């Protein structure tokens, strides 16, 4: 039945439980740019019992999450916590809380997610400047420095790993450039946290936000974030506590009110502080998931985890090239966890994705904007950055490509990937 017919039926008749059956999604291997398959420990953590948001046990778990995410962000920042919502919630909370209407923001733009930063900032009412690179490249640090000098921004915003192009922006020295000009610095690390090093302190960055659904092997729905003391002080300077929770001791800041209630980090930080000043009801199951994601990553050891993702990236790229495929983008700045590969001439990109899904229960990614229909994006991250899952994916892709008429050398991808995985 078409959707319109179903809606008409539901509008005319009483809804009964048997209209929609019990959830039973297919067990797919998610080898696209994210989300990925959950780590079983994360799934189990999400089934733990609910707690009230002011329960002392819940407060203890919140404090544990703050402690667990500091090493993942490469920082000792006091203000390291969660924003409830997908990774985009963390981006919007950071930008909305740091930037006031009319202020100038410089966006380091080299893909779809740099354009997303522009979109969010446009809605805030910021004055937007960009320093750009073609899709498949990154922006040189000296170009960023020149753009900062030219535009004198209040904030400079960048993506670490842009999954639309599969490029990773080098950020050593980025924060220092911004600080020298008196600007705040922000980085979106959604696609790389837990898979590539996030060096908030070494980069000298004021704010970094992320997500669970990629290298951390968790579900979308929680956005870890960390703020420098300087950024936190600026945000608290814009504090305007909502009417229903004010007390006689409430002290607002002198700055302009943050233009969103939900994404008001001043109030969210009050909630995560010793005050536990109510802002929203914490997404308890997502907090459990975030906590377990961090525990798994730290138990593996961050250096070992980054090395595993690097091995996975080498294996994917070697296997694809052994099939006679051409990779998209600059090898020198390729993300370790997502690889873009050109669709061969004469091959239907969506037909290959459909056969991968229907015949092998494997999902690989499509692309956006100027790359739509021109590249596939293959991810190997988190729980899926494992040798056997990569080999299964490459074997399936080879079979599908040959069935679709592309003359991939039979059996070449797996040995090449194995050799690359085992490379020191």
């Amino acid at each position: 039945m078409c959707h319109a017919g179903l809606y008409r039926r539901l509008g005319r008749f009483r809804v009964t439980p048997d209209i929609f059956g019990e959830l039973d999604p297919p067990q797919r291997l998610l080898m696209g740019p994210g989300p990925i398959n959950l780590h079983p420990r994360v799934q189990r953590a999400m089934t733990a019992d609910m707690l009230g948001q002011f329960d002392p046990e819940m407060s203890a778990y919140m404090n544990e999450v703050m402690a667990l995410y500091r090493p993942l962000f490469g920082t000792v920042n006091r203000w390291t916590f969660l924003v409830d919502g997908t990774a985009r919630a963390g981006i919007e909370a950071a930008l909305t809380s740091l930037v006031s209407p009319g202020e100038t923001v410089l966006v380091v733009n080299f893909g779809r997610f740099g354009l997303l930063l522009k979109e969010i900032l446009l809605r805030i009412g910021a004055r937007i400047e960009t320093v750009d690179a073609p899709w498949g490249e990154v922006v040189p640090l000296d170009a960023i420095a020149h753009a900062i000098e030219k535009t004198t921004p209040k904030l400079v915003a960048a993506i670490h790993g842009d999954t639309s192009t599969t490029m990773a922006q080098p950020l050593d020295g980025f924060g220092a450039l911004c600080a020298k000009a008196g600007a705040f610095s922000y980085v979106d690390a959604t696609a790389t946290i837990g898979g590539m090093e996030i060096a908030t302190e070494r980069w000298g960055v004021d704010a970094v936000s992320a997500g669970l659904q990629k290298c951390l092997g968790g579900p979308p729905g929680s956005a870890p974030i960390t703020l420098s003391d300087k950024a936190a002080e600026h945000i608290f300077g814009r504090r305007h506590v909502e009417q229903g929770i004010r007390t006689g001791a409430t002290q607002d800041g002198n700055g302009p009110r943050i233009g969103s209630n939900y994404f008001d980090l001043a109030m969210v930080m009050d909630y995560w502080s010793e005050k536990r000043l109510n802002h929203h009801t914490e997404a308890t199951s997502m907090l459990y998931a975030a906590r377990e994601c961090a525990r798994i990553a730290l138990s593996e050891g961050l250096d070992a985890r980054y090395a595993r993702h690097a091995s996975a990236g080498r294996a994917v790229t070697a296997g694809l090239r052994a099939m006679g495929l051409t990779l998209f983008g600059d090898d020198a700045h390729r993300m370790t966890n997502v690889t873009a590969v050109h669709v061969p001439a004469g091959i239907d990109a969506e037909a290959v994705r459909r056969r991968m899904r229907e015949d092998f229960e494997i999902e690989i990614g499509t692309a956006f904007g100027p790359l739509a229909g021109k590249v596939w994006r293959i991810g190997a991250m988190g729980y899926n950055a494992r040798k056997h899952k990569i080999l299964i994916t490459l074997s399936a892709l080879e079979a599908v490509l040959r069935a679709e008429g592309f003359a991939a050398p039979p059996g070449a991808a797996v040995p090449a990937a194995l050799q690359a995985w085992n490379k020191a």
Side-chain angles (χ1 to χ4, degrees), residues 295-325:
R295 290 183 69 243
I296 292 166
L298 297 179
S299 295
E300 181 178 357
L302 293 181
D303 287 343
R305 192 174 183 89
Y306 302 150
R308 174 165 63 85
H309 281 80
S311 294
R314 286 197 308 269
V316 170
T317 58
L320 293 171
R321 283 179 165 141
M323 274 190 257
L325 298 173

PDB file of all heavy atoms in Angstrom, residues 295-325:
ATOM      1  N   ARG A 295      34.578   4.175  27.546  1.00  0.00           N
ATOM      2  CA  ARG A 295      35.258   3.112  28.296  1.00  0.00           C
ATOM      3  C   ARG A 295      35.921   2.121  27.343  1.00  0.00           C
ATOM      4  O   ARG A 295      37.060   1.689  27.567  1.00  0.00           O
ATOM      5  CB  ARG A 295      34.270   2.376  29.196  1.00  0.00           C
ATOM      6  CG  ARG A 295      33.769   3.192  30.381  1.00  0.00           C
ATOM      7  CD  ARG A 295      32.852   2.362  31.277  1.00  0.00           C
ATOM      8  NE  ARG A 295      33.593   1.315  31.966  1.00  0.00           N
ATOM      9  CZ  ARG A 295      33.401   0.000  31.804  1.00  0.00           C
ATOM     10  NH1 ARG A 295      32.491  -0.450  30.973  1.00  0.00           N
ATOM     11  NH2 ARG A 295      34.127  -0.852  32.491  1.00  0.00           N
ATOM     12  N   ILE A 296      35.231   1.755  26.273  1.00  0.00           N
ATOM     13  CA  ILE A 296      35.787   0.812  25.297  1.00  0.00           C
ATOM     14  C   ILE A 296      37.014   1.397  24.622  1.00  0.00           C
ATOM     15  O   ILE A 296      38.049   0.732  24.487  1.00  0.00           O
ATOM     16  CB  ILE A 296      34.710   0.442  24.246  1.00  0.00           C
ATOM     17  CG1 ILE A 296      33.587  -0.380  24.893  1.00  0.00           C
ATOM     18  CG2 ILE A 296      35.326  -0.329  23.089  1.00  0.00           C
ATOM     19  CD1 ILE A 296      32.349  -0.502  24.042  1.00  0.00           C
ATOM     20  N   ALA A 297      36.915   2.652  24.203  1.00  0.00           N
ATOM     21  CA  ALA A 297      38.035   3.294  23.510  1.00  0.00           C
ATOM     22  C   ALA A 297      39.263   3.389  24.403  1.00  0.00           C
ATOM     23  O   ALA A 297      40.387   3.083  23.991  1.00  0.00           O
ATOM     24  CB  ALA A 297      37.622   4.678  23.014  1.00  0.00           C
ATOM     25  N   LEU A 298      39.059   3.814  25.652  1.00  0.00           N
ATOM     26  CA  LEU A 298      40.195   3.975  26.556  1.00  0.00           C
ATOM     27  C   LEU A 298      40.760   2.629  26.986  1.00  0.00           C
ATOM     28  O   LEU A 298      41.970   2.506  27.234  1.00  0.00           O
ATOM     29  CB  LEU A 298      39.773   4.802  27.771  1.00  0.00           C
ATOM     30  CG  LEU A 298      39.345   6.241  27.465  1.00  0.00           C
ATOM     31  CD1 LEU A 298      38.916   6.958  28.750  1.00  0.00           C
ATOM     32  CD2 LEU A 298      40.453   7.020  26.775  1.00  0.00           C
ATOM     33  N   SER A 299      39.915   1.613  27.071  1.00  0.00           N
ATOM     34  CA  SER A 299      40.404   0.268  27.429  1.00  0.00           C
ATOM     35  C   SER A 299      41.300  -0.290  26.333  1.00  0.00           C
ATOM     36  O   SER A 299      42.294  -0.968  26.613  1.00  0.00           O
ATOM     37  CB  SER A 299      39.225  -0.678  27.669  1.00  0.00           C
ATOM     38  OG  SER A 299      38.477  -0.275  28.789  1.00  0.00           O
ATOM     39  N   GLU A 300      40.945  -0.029  25.081  1.00  0.00           N
ATOM     40  CA  GLU A 300      41.785  -0.481  23.970  1.00  0.00           C
ATOM     41  C   GLU A 300      43.124   0.251  23.971  1.00  0.00           C
ATOM     42  O   GLU A 300      44.149  -0.315  23.587  1.00  0.00           O
ATOM     43  CB  GLU A 300      41.064  -0.261  22.639  1.00  0.00           C
ATOM     44  CG  GLU A 300      41.850  -0.715  21.431  1.00  0.00           C
ATOM     45  CD  GLU A 300      41.106  -0.547  20.118  1.00  0.00           C
ATOM     46  OE1 GLU A 300      39.919  -0.119  20.152  1.00  0.00           O
ATOM     47  OE2 GLU A 300      41.696  -0.827  19.053  1.00  0.00           O
ATOM     48  N   GLY A 301      43.101   1.490  24.417  1.00  0.00           N
ATOM     49  CA  GLY A 301      44.282   2.347  24.347  1.00  0.00           C
ATOM     50  C   GLY A 301      44.189   3.213  23.102  1.00  0.00           C
ATOM     51  O   GLY A 301      43.998   2.686  21.990  1.00  0.00           O
ATOM     52  N   LEU A 302      44.302   4.520  23.262  1.00  0.00           N
ATOM     53  CA  LEU A 302      44.065   5.412  22.130  1.00  0.00           C
ATOM     54  C   LEU A 302      45.098   5.226  21.024  1.00  0.00           C
ATOM     55  O   LEU A 302      44.747   5.231  19.836  1.00  0.00           O
ATOM     56  CB  LEU A 302      44.022   6.864  22.600  1.00  0.00           C
ATOM     57  CG  LEU A 302      42.832   7.214  23.495  1.00  0.00           C
ATOM     58  CD1 LEU A 302      42.871   8.685  23.880  1.00  0.00           C
ATOM     59  CD2 LEU A 302      41.504   6.884  22.813  1.00  0.00           C
ATOM     60  N   ASP A 303      46.368   5.030  21.378  1.00  0.00           N
ATOM     61  CA  ASP A 303      47.379   4.829  20.338  1.00  0.00           C
ATOM     62  C   ASP A 303      47.078   3.566  19.545  1.00  0.00           C
ATOM     63  O   ASP A 303      47.184   3.551  18.307  1.00  0.00           O
ATOM     64  CB  ASP A 303      48.772   4.751  20.955  1.00  0.00           C
ATOM     65  CG  ASP A 303      49.271   6.101  21.444  1.00  0.00           C
ATOM     66  OD1 ASP A 303      48.695   7.135  21.028  1.00  0.00           O
ATOM     67  OD2 ASP A 303      50.226   6.129  22.250  1.00  0.00           O
ATOM     68  N   ALA A 304      46.715   2.488  20.244  1.00  0.00           N
ATOM     69  CA  ALA A 304      46.380   1.238  19.559  1.00  0.00           C
ATOM     70  C   ALA A 304      45.139   1.402  18.698  1.00  0.00           C
ATOM     71  O   ALA A 304      45.048   0.853  17.595  1.00  0.00           O
ATOM     72  CB  ALA A 304      46.170   0.124  20.586  1.00  0.00           C
ATOM     73  N   ARG A 305      44.189   2.164  19.193  1.00  0.00           N
ATOM     74  CA  ARG A 305      42.949   2.379  18.442  1.00  0.00           C
ATOM     75  C   ARG A 305      43.215   3.179  17.175  1.00  0.00           C
ATOM     76  O   ARG A 305      42.692   2.850  16.108  1.00  0.00           O
ATOM     77  CB  ARG A 305      41.951   3.107  19.341  1.00  0.00           C
ATOM     78  CG  ARG A 305      40.537   3.134  18.806  1.00  0.00           C
ATOM     79  CD  ARG A 305      39.594   3.753  19.817  1.00  0.00           C
ATOM     80  NE  ARG A 305      38.220   3.730  19.341  1.00  0.00           N
ATOM     81  CZ  ARG A 305      37.373   2.726  19.540  1.00  0.00           C
ATOM     82  NH1 ARG A 305      37.765   1.645  20.194  1.00  0.00           N
ATOM     83  NH2 ARG A 305      36.135   2.791  19.074  1.00  0.00           N
ATOM     84  N   TYR A 306      44.032   4.215  17.268  1.00  0.00           N
ATOM     85  CA  TYR A 306      44.353   5.001  16.081  1.00  0.00           C
ATOM     86  C   TYR A 306      45.141   4.149  15.077  1.00  0.00           C
ATOM     87  O   TYR A 306      44.941   4.263  13.860  1.00  0.00           O
ATOM     88  CB  TYR A 306      45.157   6.239  16.456  1.00  0.00           C
ATOM     89  CG  TYR A 306      44.456   7.158  17.442  1.00  0.00           C
ATOM     90  CD1 TYR A 306      45.187   7.927  18.345  1.00  0.00           C
ATOM     91  CD2 TYR A 306      43.062   7.251  17.483  1.00  0.00           C
ATOM     92  CE1 TYR A 306      44.554   8.769  19.249  1.00  0.00           C
ATOM     93  CE2 TYR A 306      42.428   8.082  18.392  1.00  0.00           C
ATOM     94  CZ  TYR A 306      43.171   8.833  19.281  1.00  0.00           C
ATOM     95  OH  TYR A 306      42.545   9.664  20.182  1.00  0.00           O
ATOM     96  N   ALA A 307      46.021   3.291  15.583  1.00  0.00           N
ATOM     97  CA  ALA A 307      46.786   2.411  14.689  1.00  0.00           C
ATOM     98  C   ALA A 307      45.863   1.421  13.986  1.00  0.00           C
ATOM     99  O   ALA A 307      46.055   1.116  12.797  1.00  0.00           O
ATOM    100  CB  ALA A 307      47.861   1.667  15.484  1.00  0.00           C
ATOM    101  N   ARG A 308      44.848   0.925  14.694  1.00  0.00           N
ATOM    102  CA  ARG A 308      43.891  -0.009  14.068  1.00  0.00           C
ATOM    103  C   ARG A 308      43.131   0.687  12.945  1.00  0.00           C
ATOM    104  O   ARG A 308      42.923   0.113  11.874  1.00  0.00           O
ATOM    105  CB  ARG A 308      42.934  -0.554  15.126  1.00  0.00           C
ATOM    106  CG  ARG A 308      41.808  -1.421  14.554  1.00  0.00           C
ATOM    107  CD  ARG A 308      41.114  -2.239  15.623  1.00  0.00           C
ATOM    108  NE  ARG A 308      40.446  -1.435  16.635  1.00  0.00           N
ATOM    109  CZ  ARG A 308      39.213  -0.938  16.518  1.00  0.00           C
ATOM    110  NH1 ARG A 308      38.529  -1.148  15.395  1.00  0.00           N
ATOM    111  NH2 ARG A 308      38.668  -0.237  17.500  1.00  0.00           N
ATOM    112  N   HIS A 309      42.700   1.909  13.184  1.00  0.00           N
ATOM    113  CA  HIS A 309      41.995   2.638  12.131  1.00  0.00           C
ATOM    114  C   HIS A 309      42.920   2.943  10.945  1.00  0.00           C
ATOM    115  O   HIS A 309      42.481   2.905   9.786  1.00  0.00           O
ATOM    116  CB  HIS A 309      41.388   3.921  12.687  1.00  0.00           C
ATOM    117  CG  HIS A 309      40.103   3.702  13.436  1.00  0.00           C
ATOM    118  ND1 HIS A 309      40.072   3.256  14.737  1.00  0.00           N
ATOM    119  CD2 HIS A 309      38.807   3.834  13.045  1.00  0.00           C
ATOM    120  CE1 HIS A 309      38.801   3.142  15.128  1.00  0.00           C
ATOM    121  NE2 HIS A 309      38.028   3.489  14.129  1.00  0.00           N
ATOM    122  N   ALA A 310      44.185   3.229  11.236  1.00  0.00           N
ATOM    123  CA  ALA A 310      45.132   3.461  10.142  1.00  0.00           C
ATOM    124  C   ALA A 310      45.328   2.184   9.316  1.00  0.00           C
ATOM    125  O   ALA A 310      45.390   2.235   8.076  1.00  0.00           O
ATOM    126  CB  ALA A 310      46.467   3.946  10.700  1.00  0.00           C
ATOM    127  N   SER A 311      45.399   1.039   9.992  1.00  0.00           N
ATOM    128  CA  SER A 311      45.507  -0.240   9.276  1.00  0.00           C
ATOM    129  C   SER A 311      44.274  -0.481   8.423  1.00  0.00           C
ATOM    130  O   SER A 311      44.364  -0.952   7.282  1.00  0.00           O
ATOM    131  CB  SER A 311      45.684  -1.392  10.279  1.00  0.00           C
ATOM    132  OG  SER A 311      46.913  -1.296  10.957  1.00  0.00           O
ATOM    133  N   ALA A 312      43.116  -0.163   8.976  1.00  0.00           N
ATOM    134  CA  ALA A 312      41.871  -0.348   8.236  1.00  0.00           C
ATOM    135  C   ALA A 312      41.855   0.531   6.984  1.00  0.00           C
ATOM    136  O   ALA A 312      41.473   0.073   5.890  1.00  0.00           O
ATOM    137  CB  ALA A 312      40.683  -0.023   9.132  1.00  0.00           C
ATOM    138  N   GLY A 313      42.268   1.793   7.134  1.00  0.00           N
ATOM    139  CA  GLY A 313      42.295   2.685   5.981  1.00  0.00           C
ATOM    140  C   GLY A 313      43.249   2.198   4.906  1.00  0.00           C
ATOM    141  O   GLY A 313      42.940   2.252   3.701  1.00  0.00           O
ATOM    142  N   ARG A 314      44.437   1.726   5.319  1.00  0.00           N
ATOM    143  CA  ARG A 314      45.390   1.185   4.345  1.00  0.00           C
ATOM    144  C   ARG A 314      44.803  -0.012   3.614  1.00  0.00           C
ATOM    145  O   ARG A 314      44.959  -0.166   2.396  1.00  0.00           O
ATOM    146  CB  ARG A 314      46.681   0.760   5.048  1.00  0.00           C
ATOM    147  CG  ARG A 314      47.579   1.884   5.498  1.00  0.00           C
ATOM    148  CD  ARG A 314      48.990   1.376   5.795  1.00  0.00           C
ATOM    149  NE  ARG A 314      48.978   0.240   6.713  1.00  0.00           N
ATOM    150  CZ  ARG A 314      49.055   0.337   8.036  1.00  0.00           C
ATOM    151  NH1 ARG A 314      49.128   1.537   8.599  1.00  0.00           N
ATOM    152  NH2 ARG A 314      49.069  -0.735   8.796  1.00  0.00           N
ATOM    153  N   ALA A 315      44.129  -0.896   4.348  1.00  0.00           N
ATOM    154  CA  ALA A 315      43.575  -2.106   3.747  1.00  0.00           C
ATOM    155  C   ALA A 315      42.487  -1.767   2.731  1.00  0.00           C
ATOM    156  O   ALA A 315      42.437  -2.342   1.637  1.00  0.00           O
ATOM    157  CB  ALA A 315      43.025  -3.017   4.841  1.00  0.00           C
ATOM    158  N   VAL A 316      41.610  -0.836   3.082  1.00  0.00           N
ATOM    159  CA  VAL A 316      40.540  -0.453   2.160  1.00  0.00           C
ATOM    160  C   VAL A 316      41.125   0.150   0.890  1.00  0.00           C
ATOM    161  O   VAL A 316      40.744  -0.228  -0.228  1.00  0.00           O
ATOM    162  CB  VAL A 316      39.558   0.524   2.839  1.00  0.00           C
ATOM    163  CG1 VAL A 316      38.587   1.101   1.812  1.00  0.00           C
ATOM    164  CG2 VAL A 316      38.788  -0.176   3.954  1.00  0.00           C
ATOM    165  N   THR A 317      42.034   1.104   1.042  1.00  0.00           N
ATOM    166  CA  THR A 317      42.576   1.766  -0.149  1.00  0.00           C
ATOM    167  C   THR A 317      43.359   0.786  -1.021  1.00  0.00           C
ATOM    168  O   THR A 317      43.238   0.823  -2.255  1.00  0.00           O
ATOM    169  CB  THR A 317      43.478   2.949   0.240  1.00  0.00           C
ATOM    170  OG1 THR A 317      44.548   2.496   1.079  1.00  0.00           O
ATOM    171  CG2 THR A 317      42.695   4.015   0.990  1.00  0.00           C
ATOM    172  N   ALA A 318      44.129  -0.108  -0.408  1.00  0.00           N
ATOM    173  CA  ALA A 318      44.891  -1.083  -1.198  1.00  0.00           C
ATOM    174  C   ALA A 318      43.963  -2.045  -1.926  1.00  0.00           C
ATOM    175  O   ALA A 318      44.190  -2.373  -3.105  1.00  0.00           O
ATOM    176  CB  ALA A 318      45.847  -1.861  -0.291  1.00  0.00           C
ATOM    177  N   GLY A 319      42.914  -2.505  -1.263  1.00  0.00           N
ATOM    178  CA  GLY A 319      41.984  -3.424  -1.896  1.00  0.00           C
ATOM    179  C   GLY A 319      41.248  -2.787  -3.056  1.00  0.00           C
ATOM    180  O   GLY A 319      41.059  -3.410  -4.113  1.00  0.00           O
ATOM    181  N   LEU A 320      40.822  -1.531  -2.886  1.00  0.00           N
ATOM    182  CA  LEU A 320      40.115  -0.846  -3.959  1.00  0.00           C
ATOM    183  C   LEU A 320      41.025  -0.632  -5.165  1.00  0.00           C
ATOM    184  O   LEU A 320      40.615  -0.838  -6.322  1.00  0.00           O
ATOM    185  CB  LEU A 320      39.590   0.502  -3.457  1.00  0.00           C
ATOM    186  CG  LEU A 320      38.479   0.442  -2.392  1.00  0.00           C
ATOM    187  CD1 LEU A 320      38.211   1.831  -1.835  1.00  0.00           C
ATOM    188  CD2 LEU A 320      37.199  -0.174  -2.960  1.00  0.00           C
ATOM    189  N   ARG A 321      42.262  -0.252  -4.904  1.00  0.00           N
ATOM    190  CA  ARG A 321      43.186  -0.030  -6.017  1.00  0.00           C
ATOM    191  C   ARG A 321      43.523  -1.342  -6.723  1.00  0.00           C
ATOM    192  O   ARG A 321      43.676  -1.361  -7.956  1.00  0.00           O
ATOM    193  CB  ARG A 321      44.448   0.660  -5.498  1.00  0.00           C
ATOM    194  CG  ARG A 321      44.225   2.154  -5.250  1.00  0.00           C
ATOM    195  CD  ARG A 321      45.443   2.859  -4.714  1.00  0.00           C
ATOM    196  NE  ARG A 321      45.294   4.309  -4.839  1.00  0.00           N
ATOM    197  CZ  ARG A 321      45.687   5.183  -3.930  1.00  0.00           C
ATOM    198  NH1 ARG A 321      46.266   4.782  -2.811  1.00  0.00           N
ATOM    199  NH2 ARG A 321      45.514   6.478  -4.131  1.00  0.00           N
ATOM    200  N   ALA A 322      43.595  -2.419  -5.969  1.00  0.00           N
ATOM    201  CA  ALA A 322      43.882  -3.721  -6.583  1.00  0.00           C
ATOM    202  C   ALA A 322      42.752  -4.170  -7.509  1.00  0.00           C
ATOM    203  O   ALA A 322      42.962  -4.949  -8.438  1.00  0.00           O
ATOM    204  CB  ALA A 322      44.113  -4.774  -5.501  1.00  0.00           C
ATOM    205  N   MET A 323      41.545  -3.652  -7.273  1.00  0.00           N
ATOM    206  CA  MET A 323      40.412  -3.943  -8.160  1.00  0.00           C
ATOM    207  C   MET A 323      40.445  -3.103  -9.426  1.00  0.00           C
ATOM    208  O   MET A 323      39.584  -3.246 -10.294  1.00  0.00           O
ATOM    209  CB  MET A 323      39.099  -3.680  -7.421  1.00  0.00           C
ATOM    210  CG  MET A 323      38.604  -4.841  -6.612  1.00  0.00           C
ATOM    211  SD  MET A 323      36.920  -4.535  -6.027  1.00  0.00           S
ATOM    212  CE  MET A 323      37.254  -4.118  -4.324  1.00  0.00           C
ATOM    213  N   GLY A 324      41.394  -2.191  -9.515  1.00  0.00           N
ATOM    214  CA  GLY A 324      41.460  -1.319 -10.678  1.00  0.00           C
ATOM    215  C   GLY A 324      40.628  -0.052 -10.536  1.00  0.00           C
ATOM    216  O   GLY A 324      40.369   0.634 -11.530  1.00  0.00           O
ATOM    217  N   LEU A 325      40.241   0.271  -9.306  1.00  0.00           N
ATOM    218  CA  LEU A 325      39.444   1.465  -9.059  1.00  0.00           C
ATOM    219  C   LEU A 325      40.353   2.651  -8.724  1.00  0.00           C
ATOM    220  O   LEU A 325      41.488   2.470  -8.262  1.00  0.00           O
ATOM    221  CB  LEU A 325      38.471   1.214  -7.908  1.00  0.00           C
ATOM    222  CG  LEU A 325      37.444   0.096  -8.149  1.00  0.00           C
ATOM    223  CD1 LEU A 325      36.653  -0.173  -6.876  1.00  0.00           C
ATOM    224  CD2 LEU A 325      36.513   0.453  -9.306  1.00  0.00           C
TER     225      LEU A 325
END
